[in-house]
Amino acid sequence: MAQEASSSTSSKTISLKTGDGEIFEIEASAAKQMKTVQRLIDDLGDDITIPLHNVFSKELPKIIEYYKKDITGEITKDFEAEFVKDLNDDEVKVLFLAANYLDANKLFEFLSQNIADRLESKSVEYVRKYFGVENDFTPEEESKLREERAWSFRGIKEDE
Amino acid sequence: MEKSMGATNAKVINHIPEDLAFSILSKLPLKSLKRFGCVRRSWALLFENLHFLNMYRNYFISNNHSYYDGTSILLNQTNNPLSGEAFHSTLYLLSGERFENMVKLDWPPPFHEDDSFIEILSKTSVNGTLCLAQKNGMDLKCLFWNPTTDEFKIIPSSPFLYQSPYMEPTVDFNGFGYDHVRDDYKVLRWLCFFNITGVEVPWEDYLYVDPMWEIYSLRSNSWTKLDIEMPASASNEKLHVDGVCHWWSIHDDINCYDSPPRLVSFDLCNEVFLTTHLSSDMIDPLNILHLTLLNGFIAFIIYDQTTTFHIRILGELGVKESWTKVFILEPLPSIEHPIGAGRKGEIFFRKDDDELVWFDLSTQMIEELGVKGREHCCHIVIYKDSLLPIGGF
């Protein structure tokens, strides 16, 4: 492919290498939407395969799919619903963290909303496990708080 | 903490760092947020964490609630007349990103002769229809009006108004809204009766008429007495959202004694009501309350003489613990009182020089609308236009 002195990003593709060694191609204009990738391109040049240590072959194609749609202005509510439809909560979490690592703001905001929607009716236990956080309340503190906020537990299945 | 699940699989990362967690938490409904306060200590105090609060506020302001889809803003303004001048209500349609376009709309014919103190019930429209009311001494006008088609329909007089020749009613229009079960428009009113002054009532004609609630149904085109003991409104701020009429009261259920202020919510479909008390830190004898709808949430703007405005939004109807402190508007110089809220975090106020202004929650800027208004007589209405005939049937 002929290289141009001034970077014309419209039809150029960038090679991205995942943490588990696979290589994926992405259009330069889509790569621009992921600030981490763009920074690496600025540092390393756009001819080199950009290494993404913290993103893996399971997530990257999905992220590329999202930004492919984004650069053609085709992201709709229907597309977004389809995009997450078959993903379980953990898979969305991995994508969310990858979007954060890649500094891909639009995808990050969309996924954080999707996770919020998924967690809305979940139990305290489920949310603790999901976020990987420890319960630092004493048993007395926790039961007192649960009592104060009893209204927020109505209709929620605690073992979910 | 990272756990590797094999060379080709994605690493399953257990821990989500707190600032990333906030991005998710700030998008949750209040009920979930309050429940998840039990996850860990730092989450119990989310609304006291400035970083989280800023994220929540940004999301709150930018989130377009579906209630506002396709809506515009109407300003129902009353002038502050000089001596000898008359009172006039003027209706403006506000449009433009910064409300720079103000178009005056003409009231329907029944108000052409007297356009003073016209009330737009519940500051809302149903299928493009507004409900207008005017009380002028003994003369009571109430009608439906579609400003887009100019169609209007006068609501007939209630048989309950003049039950005794010696008593006259004080009428409080509590609400207008939509009963989606019966596909009906309803108007709710509170009547309170007083002896006509100066008239001596013959003993044998003495009839004490209890205060009562009545409801008008467009489908039946008639008023019905409501057998319900419900607190009457303490202010002009009345709202309608999704078939429920809201107002606030300082009376107990039978309107005899003063009680701490509470929100009253009347469901137009099953004609029952629910009260939501205010939390103790919202109640203070020096506080002034203004009920409004802010970005789809029922909210109170609470202020006193210091011109600092506190905004509390309601997480769940009926739950006094769910009033949540979301915004504090630092002393806004010369601002006297709110007159309503817009569609994307705009709050409208009246200043002490009568100028009507709007405050942008995201930029914290205040801008004048270019019109002046009388104290407590100007209101913002969220209007969704429609070409449907009144009642749609």
Side-chain angles (χ1 to χ4, degrees):
Chain A
M1 210 160 37
Q3 289 185 21
E4 293 163 348
S6 61
S7 85
S8 148
T9 53
S10 48
S11 54
K12 189 149 171 61
T13 59
I14 308 285
S15 295
L16 302 174
K17 184 171 177 180
T18 64
D20 51 342
E22 281 196 43
I23 298 184
F24 296 91
E25 302 287 316
I26 186 175
E27 273 163 71
S29 49
K32 240 189 152 81
Q33 304 302 319
M34 300 185 243
K35 298 208 193 92
T36 303
V37 175
Q38 190 57 51
R39 276 195 288 269
L40 287 167
I41 292 172
D42 292 340
D43 287 343
L44 304 171
D46 54 10
D47 287 325
I48 301 209
T49 299
I50 307 291
L52 299 173
H53 303 299
N54 278 337
V55 185
F56 297 87
S57 52
K58 192 158 182 234
E59 305 88 77
L60 191 56
K62 201 87 173 131
I63 297 173
I64 291 174
E65 181 196 330
Y66 186 87
Y67 278 101
K68 238 184 165 141
K69 269 281 199 248
D70 185 39
I71 54 177
T72 58
E74 281 171 31
I75 293 190
T76 59
K77 287 272 176 244
D78 286 338
F79 168 75
E80 286 184 331
E82 258 316 294
F83 186 80
V84 290
K85 200 177 69 160
D86 297 322
L87 300 174
N88 66 33
D89 293 351
D90 282 324
E91 288 166 332
V92 179
K93 178 162 91 176
V94 172
L95 268 179
F96 166 78
L97 291 168
N100 174 62
Y101 172 75
L102 294 171
D103 204 350
N105 192 58
K106 192 164 180 174
L107 180 62
F108 179 81
E109 288 297 319
F110 162 56
L111 291 174
S112 43
Q113 178 69 65
N114 185 248
I115 295 175
D117 294 342
R118 287 165 184 257
L119 296 180
E120 186 182 322
S121 303
K122 294 290 193 210
S123 69
V124 170
E125 267 313 307
Y126 185 89
V127 169
R128 261 191 211 127
K129 281 202 211 94
Y130 190 81
F131 284 86
V133 297
E134 292 292 317
N135 177 5
D136 53 359
F137 287 114
T138 66
E140 297 80 32
E141 284 171 342
E142 187 178 352
S143 70
K144 179 163 179 268
L145 193 62
R146 277 174 181 258
E147 209 182 291
E148 276 169 26
R149 302 194 181 186
W151 65 274
S152 66
F153 286 84
R154 277 201 290 264
I156 304 298
K157 281 186 273 199
E158 263 300 280
D159 45 39
E160 223 181 314
Chain B
M1 266 190 327
E2 294 176 358
K3 284 189 187 166
S4 186
M5 297 229 334
T8 53
N9 287 352
K11 287 184 184 180
V12 174
I13 296 159
N14 275 343
H15 177 67
I16 296 180
E18 189 112 307
D19 60 328
L20 296 187
F22 284 177
S23 295
I24 297 169
L25 297 176
S26 57
K27 298 176 173 75
L28 281 167
L30 280 172
K31 179 177 173 177
S32 310
L33 269 177
K34 290 294 184 182
R35 183 167 71 256
F36 299 156
C38 300
V39 163
R40 67 190 317 209
R41 281 206 175 125
S42 60
W43 290 19
L45 303 164
L46 281 177
F47 282 93
E48 278 150 72
N49 179 318
L50 205 55
H51 181 46
F52 173 80
L53 192 53
N54 280 330
M55 283 187 131
Y56 186 84
R57 285 170 175 169
N58 284 333
Y59 178 70
F60 180 93
I61 294 168
S62 60
N63 188 33
N64 292 321
H65 195 284
S66 59
Y67 177 87
Y68 301 97
D69 290 344
T71 56
S72 4
I73 295 188
L74 298 177
L75 166 65
N76 183 7
Q77 173 259 12
T78 298
N79 60 325
N80 218 353
L82 302 168
S83 72
E85 276 185 359
F87 286 102
H88 297 283
S89 287
T90 308
L91 188 61
Y92 294 97
L93 173 67
L94 305 181
S95 59
E97 274 295 304
R98 288 162 47 244
F99 310 116
E100 58 275 19
N101 302 323
M102 282 181 69
V103 175
K104 179 166 174 289
L105 303 180
D106 290 323
W107 296 111
F111 294 110
H112 285 175
E113 210 181 299
D114 177 5
D115 61 359
S116 64
F117 300 112
I118 300 172
E119 204 183 325
I120 299 180
L121 301 196
S122 294
K123 310 197 177 38
T124 193
S125 60
V126 174
N127 292 331
T129 300
L130 299 171
C131 184
L132 308 181
Q134 185 188 54
K135 295 182 282 195
N136 238 333
M138 298 281 274
D139 192 25
L140 204 62
K141 280 203 187 88
C142 190
L143 51 90
F144 294 123
W145 176 50
N146 184 331
T148 311
T149 62
D150 276 329
E151 185 192 350
F152 68 93
K153 201 174 212 149
I154 295 185
I155 291 171
S157 187
S158 156
F160 304 106
L161 289 174
Y162 297 103
Q163 294 172 55
S164 155
Y166 304 105
M167 303 204 86
E168 64 176 340
T170 295
V171 177
D172 191 19
F173 288 92
N174 261 73
F176 158 60
Y178 182 65
D179 171 355
H180 66 87
V181 170
R182 287 170 205 76
D183 186 25
D184 196 4
Y185 296 13
K186 290 182 169 172
V187 181
L188 178 69
R189 256 187 352 197
W190 164 245
L191 306 181
C192 206
F193 299 90
F194 297 95
N195 273 321
I196 298 175
T197 40
V199 174
E200 192 75 36
V201 184
W203 173 249
E204 60 274 16
D205 290 330
Y206 193 83
L207 170 69
Y208 178 73
V209 185
D210 282 323
M212 56 168 270
W213 289 97
E214 58 174 358
I215 194 160
Y216 171 81
S217 142
L218 179 59
R219 277 203 183 272
S220 68
N221 194 29
S222 64
W223 291 93
T224 318
K225 181 172 174 177
L226 270 181
D227 198 6
I228 195 169
E229 283 181 352
M230 182 162 69
S233 179
S235 78
N236 280 330
E237 304 115 44
K238 295 152 188 163
L239 313 169
H240 165 256
V241 188
D242 290 336
V244 181
C245 287
H246 304 274
W247 63 90
W248 64 274
S249 181
I250 48 170
H251 302 300
D252 66 7
D253 286 4
I254 49 175
N255 295 294
C256 284
Y257 305 104
D258 277 357
S259 300
R262 50 246 233 262
L263 178 73
V264 182
S265 305
F266 179 79
D267 184 328
L268 291 171
C269 301
N270 51 39
E271 297 185 356
V272 293
F273 76 98
L274 180 65
T275 54
T276 309
H277 286 259
L278 272 55
S279 58
S280 46
D281 56 350
M282 290 165 75
I283 301 171
D284 186 292
L286 295 176
N287 278 346
I288 304 172
L289 300 172
H290 179 98
L291 178 68
T292 191
L293 195 68
L294 186 62
N295 286 35
F297 282 88
I298 304 248
F300 268 110
I301 301 177
I302 303 175
Y303 59 106
D304 54 24
Q305 302 311 312
T306 66
T307 71
T308 296
F309 297 84
H310 297 259
I311 301 179
R312 295 277 197 138
I313 64 176
L314 184 62
E316 182 145 317
L317 215 52
V319 181
K320 100 172 190 199
E321 296 82 6
S322 74
W323 291 103
T324 306
K325 265 189 248 205
V326 182
F327 294 98
I328 297 179
L329 308 185
E330 290 312 336
L332 304 178
S334 317
I335 299 290
E336 266 201 9
H337 66 87
I339 64 171
R343 306 181 301 146
K344 276 196 255 170
E346 306 101 7
I347 303 180
F348 294 81
F349 289 95
R350 182 186 148 277
K351 281 170 64 181
D352 54 14
D353 60 356
D354 282 358
E355 285 292 338
L356 300 181
V357 304
W358 66 281
F359 177 88
D360 186 336
L361 274 176
S362 49
T363 63
Q364 311 265 308
M365 303 281 291
I366 299 178
E367 270 190 60
E368 291 197 349
L369 285 175
V371 73
K372 293 190 175 198
R374 182 176 173 78
E375 200 178 347
H376 299 301
C377 294
C378 299
H379 303 284
I380 295 294
V381 173
I382 303 291
Y383 177 68
K384 189 164 181 177
D385 63 34
S386 165
L387 295 172
L388 283 177
I390 292 177
F393 44 76

